[in-house]
């Protein structure tokens, strides 16, 4: 087996039929009945391992009924053993597609589905007529809740319109539904772009909470209401009922990105069911939308899958640099049967970007080179962002949630250039300034399906769970800002690496099978935290680690290899 083998399609297992020692340990611990936390690194055969657990469900033998004589008494032969009962379980997947795939691989005694499916059967079916209601603009829903169409308020330097208040009230309900909380409070009110300060948020929450409470009361009604009913709404109602899931064991997949509302229900089953959490804490990249790493701190036997079947040792070393930065509980071992190179790859099969704005930049560049380009998830998200930019450049406000607080394009440009919270919007601003929104929208119309593409562009979030033969990391993965201090060489000390950014980088670099171009993440080569080998020599091109640099990294909370 070499780098020239024919690889399975993206998302399929690369694990061999002979289980590894780690997989055998997992099945033995499962058969013993322990609650388990299985840290499964990128490409380590997580789904294959879950299938192994599902197939090794040990039958349980019922106890004998009362009144049966002990063996050998009264001259009677021992009665036959009662028939064995098979343990039944449930596999909870991240989405329906994953659940359907698991159902084809798991035995019939393991039901495969999502938490939403369980909630629908118990609660959601009572609201099915509301789920089919037509879509309605958020500002119209806000009007129905009592938000006057012409009202606007000043919060700090920003003007908040009725449309922004409507969006925020509905988003507040969504965040509440993703939480484990019993009631809606200020912590569920989102912080809006351009008004992130605590004082601004407190003022916004005071305005929004009454409307959010009215919206939730409306949603609780089984008859027709004014707020569009979504799947997360009945999931929350089900969780508030404190349900008991009928199963002998539960397998929770992608546990590192579980919403607290699902975590609450899952952990509550501990008294009657064996719980198994499987995922990769280093890939917990959805905290921005309410997800939480359930695996950290869970009281269970800790196991790991560290043998990657997706890539070879060179890429595993690259991945381990980021695992070291976030002090992850595992380090990866690359497959000795695969040769994966790390180096420049101008014509990669896929380009992984940090943000939607960065993806838009890559799409434009690749189309200008005459390449056939696909975008994971389609161009809808980027198109909405480009149209919002067009509105601002035309002197109109926009209702896009990312940009709704900005009165003008100039105001957005200043925010992107000068405010650290807006730095990820800078590629969008520069792209629109250079090309115009019309050119951007025209380019998005030229996208093709992945099957017909020469190159696929994806954000790191959408790339999760995917893989390609060759991958290039886009330039919008920028280095952390330098500290105000300088080192012994007179150069500014590099700032600490944000753990969330490191997790996103880890996801990005582990998408390749044959070759990785680290591109926009090459700054890690000269960062003090970039060498995972404790006490090892600095990587080529990295500056010497001065004592002050070591102390800066240590004080920042970012793990250091020193």
């Amino acid at each position: 087996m070499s780098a020239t083998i024919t690889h399975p399609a993206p998302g399929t297992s690369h694990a061999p039929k002979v289980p590894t020692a780690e997989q055998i340990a997992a099945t033995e611990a499962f058969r013993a009945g322990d609650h388990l936390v299985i840290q499964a690194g990128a490409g380590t055969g997580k789904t294959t391992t879950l299938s192994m657990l599902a197939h090794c469900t040990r039958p349980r033998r019922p106890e004998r009924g009362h009144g049966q004589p002990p063996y050998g008494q009264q001259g009677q032969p021992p009665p036959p053993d009662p028939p064995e009962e098979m343990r039944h379980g449930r596999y909870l997947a991240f989405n329906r597609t994953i659940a359907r795939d698991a159902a084809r691989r798991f035995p019939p005694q393991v039901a495969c589905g999502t938490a939403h499916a369980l909630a629908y059967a118990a609660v959601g079916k009572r609201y099915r007529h509301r789920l089919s209601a037509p879509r309605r603009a958020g500002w119209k829903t806000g009007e129905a809740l009592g938000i006057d169409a012409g009202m606007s308020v000043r919060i700090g330097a920003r003007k908040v319109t009725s449309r922004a208040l409507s969006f925020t009230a509905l988003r507040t309900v969504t965040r509440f539904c993703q939480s484990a909380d019993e009631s809606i409070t200020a912590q569920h009110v989102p912080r809006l772009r351009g008004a992130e300060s605590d004082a601004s948020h407190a003022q916004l929450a005071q305005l929004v909470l009454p409307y959010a409470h009215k919206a939730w009361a409306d949603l609780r009604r089984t008859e027709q209401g004014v707020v569009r009913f979504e799947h997360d709404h009945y999931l929350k109602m089900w969780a508030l009922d404190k349900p008991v899931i009928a199963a002998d064991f539960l397998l929770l997949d992608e546990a590192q990105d579980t919403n607290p509302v699902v975590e609450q229900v899952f952990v509550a089953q501990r008294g009657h069911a064996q719980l198994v959490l499987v995922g990769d804490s280093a890939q917990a990249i959805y905290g921005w939308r309410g997800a939480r790493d359930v695996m950290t701190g869970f009281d269970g036997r800790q196991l790991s899958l560290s043998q990657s079947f997706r890539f070879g040792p060179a890429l595993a070393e690259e991945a381990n640099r980021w695992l070291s930065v976030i002090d992850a509980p595992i380090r990866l071992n690359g497959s000795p049967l695969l040769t994966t190179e790390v180096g420049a790859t101008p014509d990669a099969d896929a380009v992984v970007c940090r943000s939607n704005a960065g993806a838009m930049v890559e799409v434009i560049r690749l189309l200008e080179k005459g390449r056939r380009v696909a975008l994971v998830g389609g161009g809808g998200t980027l198109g909405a962002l480009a149209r919002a930019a067009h509105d601002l450049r035309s002197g109109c406000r926009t209702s896009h949630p990312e940009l709704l607080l900005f009165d003008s394009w100039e105001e957005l440009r200043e925010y992107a250039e000068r405010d650290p919270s807006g730095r990820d919007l800078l590629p969008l601003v520069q792209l629109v300034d250079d090309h115009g929104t019309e050119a951007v929208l025209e380019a998005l119309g030229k996208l093709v399906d992945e099957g017909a593409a020469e190159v696929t562009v994806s954000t790191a979030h959408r790339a999760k769970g995917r893989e390609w033969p060759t991958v290039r990391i886009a330039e919008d993965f920028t280095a952390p800002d330098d500290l105000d201090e300088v080192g012994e060489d007179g150069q500014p000390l590099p700032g600490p690496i944000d753990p969330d950014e490191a997790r996103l980088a880890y996801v990005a670099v582990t998408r390749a099978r044959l070759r990785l171009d680290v591109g926009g993440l090459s700054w890690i080569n000269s960062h003090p935290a970039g060498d995972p080998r404790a006490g090892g020599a600095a990587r080529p091109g990295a500056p010497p680690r001065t004592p002050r640099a070591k102390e800066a990294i240590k004080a920042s909370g970012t793990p250091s290899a020193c």
Side-chain angles (χ1 to χ4, degrees):
M1 191 174 190
S2 69
T4 59
I5 62 168
T6 301
H7 289 269
T12 60
S13 174
H14 297 257
K17 293 182 179 180
V18 178
T20 67
E22 290 175 323
Q23 290 172 326
I24 292 172
T27 57
E28 290 177 348
F30 177 72
R31 288 177 64 88
D34 297 336
H35 296 302
L36 303 179
V37 176
I38 304 177
Q39 291 282 354
T44 56
K46 174 179 60 111
T47 305
T48 298
T49 304
L50 282 170
S51 178
M52 291 178 184
L53 301 190
H55 280 91
C56 77
T57 53
R58 182 177 57 190
R60 63 181 179 191
R61 192 180 302 280
E63 296 181 1
R64 293 179 176 276
H66 293 294
Q68 290 182 328
Y71 293 162
Q73 290 187 8
Q74 303 175 2
Q76 298 295 323
D81 288 334
E84 292 183 336
E85 296 178 5
M86 183 64 68
R87 294 178 74 216
H88 289 78
R90 282 192 175 273
Y91 164 78
L92 297 180
F94 193 68
N95 57 45
R96 284 183 296 177
T97 301
I98 297 174
R100 284 195 296 266
D101 178 66
R104 292 192 289 268
R105 306 177 64 174
F106 285 20
Q109 68 269 20
V110 180
C112 299
T114 64
H116 282 88
L118 288 173
Y120 182 84
V123 176
K125 60 186 178 184
R126 301 200 298 266
Y127 295 86
R128 57 181 175 270
H129 63 286
R130 291 196 63 174
L131 282 166
S132 59
R135 290 189 176 275
R136 188 182 194 185
W139 64 269
K140 287 188 175 181
T141 302
E143 282 187 353
L145 293 172
I147 300 176
D148 293 336
M151 76 174 289
S152 66
V153 294
R154 206 75 189 174
I155 295 182
R158 307 293 180 198
K159 183 174 73 173
V160 181
T161 66
S162 60
R163 295 193 176 204
L165 286 176
S166 300
F167 161 79
T168 308
L170 296 176
R171 180 63 186 153
T172 297
V173 173
T174 298
R175 285 164 59 93
F176 162 67
C177 289
Q178 294 168 345
S179 76
D181 301 319
E182 297 286 328
S183 59
I184 300 174
T185 65
Q187 68 178 339
H188 303 118
V189 178
R191 293 179 186 265
L192 298 182
R193 287 272 200 173
E196 294 94 344
S197 71
D198 290 343
S200 296
H201 181 259
Q203 188 180 351
L204 179 66
Q206 188 176 9
L207 287 168
V208 163
L209 283 176
Y211 301 112
H213 285 293
K214 287 183 67 174
W216 181 240
D218 176 270
L219 289 165
R220 298 282 292 186
R221 299 203 303 264
T222 53
E223 65 272 17
Q224 194 64 37
V226 300
V227 182
R228 178 177 169 82
F229 198 91
E230 304 284 355
H231 295 282
D232 280 352
H233 297 146
Y234 66 71
L235 178 69
K236 181 63 175 179
M237 295 175 191
W238 175 65
L240 289 172
D241 289 340
K242 308 218 176 340
V244 175
I245 301 175
D248 298 310
F249 61 89
L250 295 173
L251 308 175
L252 179 62
D253 199 359
E254 297 289 345
Q256 80 283 347
D257 280 323
T258 302
N259 281 341
V261 64
V262 176
E263 173 191 2
Q264 177 187 42
V265 173
F266 180 82
V267 174
Q269 314 305 312
R270 189 184 186 106
H272 73 276
Q274 180 186 8
L275 304 184
V276 179
L277 294 82
V278 185
D280 185 355
S281 291
Q283 294 191 54
I285 59 174
Y286 285 101
W288 55 275
R289 71 177 190 190
R292 202 181 81 83
D293 178 12
V294 186
M295 305 172 74
T296 301
F298 181 80
D299 183 16
R301 184 172 174 182
Q302 304 284 323
L303 298 171
S304 63
L305 301 176
S306 62
Q307 177 61 64
S308 182
F309 305 102
R310 180 180 297 161
F311 42 73
L315 200 149
E317 181 181 351
E318 193 68 33
N320 287 339
R321 302 169 72 182
W322 298 102
L323 292 174
S324 175
V325 168
I326 59 177
D327 197 22
I330 60 171
R331 299 292 184 272
L332 292 176
N333 297 308
S335 171
L337 302 178
L338 292 173
T339 300
T340 307
E341 300 175 338
V342 178
T345 313
D347 296 324
D349 298 292
V351 181
V352 179
C353 310
R354 187 206 171 280
S355 65
N356 283 317
M360 192 180 292
V361 170
E362 286 294 336
V363 166
I364 296 289
R365 288 175 178 171
L366 290 164
L367 287 172
E368 287 178 342
K369 293 180 179 180
R371 308 290 299 280
R372 293 192 306 276
V373 184
L375 182 67
V376 174
T381 299
L382 297 189
L385 196 58
R387 286 188 290 273
H390 178 78
D391 290 340
L392 286 176
R393 293 189 85 206
S394 302
C396 304
R397 292 182 69 99
T398 176
S399 59
H400 192 286
E402 287 287 295
L403 310 179
L404 55 76
L405 287 194
F406 299 98
D407 287 317
S408 66
W409 183 252
E410 290 71 24
E411 195 174 88
L412 174 62
R413 182 190 292 115
E414 181 181 9
Y415 172 76
E417 290 177 346
R418 300 186 181 183
D419 193 318
S421 300
R423 190 165 72 170
D424 63 312
L425 291 174
L426 191 55
L428 168 68
V429 171
Q430 294 172 337
L431 179 70
V432 170
D433 281 343
D434 290 343
H435 296 271
T437 52
E438 294 84 356
V440 172
L441 289 168
E442 181 182 354
L444 293 176
K446 297 178 180 178
L447 293 171
V448 300
D449 293 334
E450 287 191 57
E454 295 175 288
V455 57
T456 299
V457 176
S458 177
T459 63
H461 287 94
R462 289 189 178 274
K464 191 165 173 289
R466 301 287 301 273
E467 57 186 66
W468 293 272
T470 60
V471 171
R472 175 171 61 83
I473 306 301
E475 296 300 321
D476 63 335
F477 284 88
T478 54
D481 293 331
D482 289 336
L483 301 174
D484 293 333
E485 302 176 66
V486 296
E488 294 176 354
D489 57 359
Q491 297 298 314
L493 294 176
I497 301 174
D498 185 298
D500 289 336
E501 296 297 318
R503 280 187 279 269
L504 209 57
Y506 165 70
V507 171
V509 301
T510 53
R511 300 307 98 194
R513 297 197 303 264
L514 302 181
R515 188 174 180 87
L516 171 71
D517 183 344
V518 295
L521 287 171
S522 59
W523 54 262
I524 190 67
N525 293 329
S526 58
H527 195 282
D531 187 355
R533 297 166 293 185
R539 296 178 65 88
R545 296 189 191 121
T546 66
R548 294 184 68 187
K550 297 177 185 179
E551 288 301 316
I553 297 299
K554 182 178 180 181
S556 73
T558 304
S560 172
C562 302

